[in-house]
Amino acid sequence: MTSELPLGREVAYPRSYDPSLLFPIARDQGRAALGIASGALPFAGHDRWHAYELSWLGPRGKPDTATATFLVPADSPRLVESKSLKLYLNSLNSTRFTGRDEVRARIAADLSAAAGAAVTVGFGLPPLDMGTGLEGDGDGARAAATLPGTDPAPVSIDGIAVDCDEYDAPNPALLAADPGDLVHEVLHSALLKSNCPVTGQPDWASLRVAYRGPRIDRAGLLRYLVSFREHAGFHEQCVEQVFVDVSAHCRPTELSVEARYTRRGGLDINPWRATPGLSPPPAGRDPRQ
């Protein structure tokens, strides 16, 4: 019988609007382990969420649908756990609203209350960034076009021939840089994987490291990213760990780290952390998203 199979078990979803479903988590919990003191962040940034499954009822009971983008500032005291965000959004499915503006305002108010800072909500998604498809498979594989702004074209490090044997926890000792060779470059990898600390499910992401300073050893960076493979950490915390570890071991004068995680439960998240004062990268979505 299907009721006896683990995949056949019913999952209860809310039938009415319920903002209490949002589960906030204090960012200080993860940052303390990285040596980041509360109120003294070494980075600026945001968490950009993409919602693909958003629906509600109009005033006459007719369903409406949309996609949406949520922008949570990195200096908010709390992050919102992703499964709870999915459940919260599903609580809108059978709830009547006067129109799209009311829906947007309600979501913005509820997410802001959960995060402890103003969260921006807008309908629609950023464009699919086909320029993230990197050509070639070697150390110098490059994107077909340069990124908007001043950054050079990203270079994939995934084709580097390197032995990997560390998977259980991020190992910053694998990182190194040449202080005698100063560069400005963008390195890209699609091999970042970690595990959700709540569900144990795998989280997959592409990572971009844009920096100025001593040339980062690409093989070491690749091995470092692979060492996250069985690590249990929230998306936001993993990106912050990369920023802190690269800053400490490679000493860039400017650093920008963005991860684009693949979709789960109708949501994907794109944390970005950077040296204060740097502009955010152009909003976009990877083909895997």
Side-chain angles (χ1 to χ4, degrees):
M1 297 177 60
T2 58
S3 61
E4 297 174 352
L5 298 175
L7 295 180
R9 293 174 184 170
E10 182 179 354
V11 177
Y13 283 101
R15 298 298 298 272
S16 60
Y17 165 68
D18 186 0
S20 70
L21 291 167
L22 291 169
F23 187 78
I25 298 173
R27 293 189 189 269
D28 282 349
Q29 293 181 13
R31 289 171 176 171
L34 299 177
I36 301 175
S38 178
L41 299 182
F43 46 68
H46 59 236
D47 304 325
R48 190 179 72 250
W49 292 83
H50 301 148
Y52 298 82
E53 302 171 4
L54 178 59
S55 185
W56 64 91
L57 302 179
R60 299 177 62 181
K62 180 182 177 181
D64 200 354
T65 62
T67 56
T69 299
F70 314 141
L71 210 62
V72 183
D75 59 1
S76 64
R78 298 179 292 275
L79 59 86
V80 179
E81 194 274 325
S82 61
K83 186 173 182 180
S84 77
L85 178 55
K86 173 187 176 181
L87 293 172
Y88 162 75
L89 293 177
N90 273 283
S91 80
L92 307 178
N93 292 346
S94 300
T95 305
R96 297 193 182 204
F97 294 90
T98 59
R100 295 168 73 89
D101 287 343
E102 183 186 3
V103 175
R104 185 199 59 76
R106 184 69 59 86
I107 295 174
D110 292 340
L111 292 183
S112 297
V119 175
T120 302
V121 175
F123 288 119
L125 301 171
L128 202 61
D129 185 3
M130 300 308 295
T132 57
L134 298 170
E135 300 178 331
D137 59 1
D139 186 6
R142 302 182 66 83
T146 59
L147 294 174
T150 58
D151 281 337
V155 178
S156 174
I157 62 174
D158 292 346
I160 299 174
V162 63
D163 293 330
C164 297
D165 54 9
E166 297 189 43
Y167 309 105
D168 293 334
N171 182 5
L174 297 170
L175 295 167
D178 182 357
D181 187 7
L182 303 181
V183 299
H184 175 204
E185 64 178 3
V186 181
L187 303 179
H188 175 277
S189 175
L191 300 184
L192 179 62
K193 174 199 170 287
S194 56
N195 295 327
C196 173
V198 175
T199 66
Q201 294 298 304
D203 293 323
W204 308 90
S206 296
L207 190 83
R208 295 161 181 78
V209 177
Y211 73 98
R212 295 176 187 268
R215 184 182 294 276
I216 294 175
D217 176 68
R218 295 176 180 179
L221 177 62
L222 180 59
R223 293 184 66 207
Y224 166 73
L225 296 179
V226 170
S227 72
F228 276 83
R229 198 162 181 84
E230 298 302 331
H231 172 66
F234 293 111
H235 308 77
E236 303 93 331
Q237 295 170 349
C238 289
V239 172
E240 292 180 1
Q241 177 148 14
V242 173
F243 182 93
V244 168
D245 289 344
V246 171
S247 295
H249 290 262
C250 301
R251 302 293 182 182
T253 56
E254 293 182 357
L255 177 62
S256 175
V257 178
E258 181 191 30
R260 295 182 178 180
Y261 280 87
T262 58
R263 196 186 319 176
R264 276 207 291 127
L267 295 166
D268 69 51
I269 180 172
N270 307 265
W272 167 66
R273 301 294 184 267
T275 304
L278 294 184
S279 298
R285 292 180 292 134
D286 277 4
R288 290 200 299 169
Q289 295 179 310

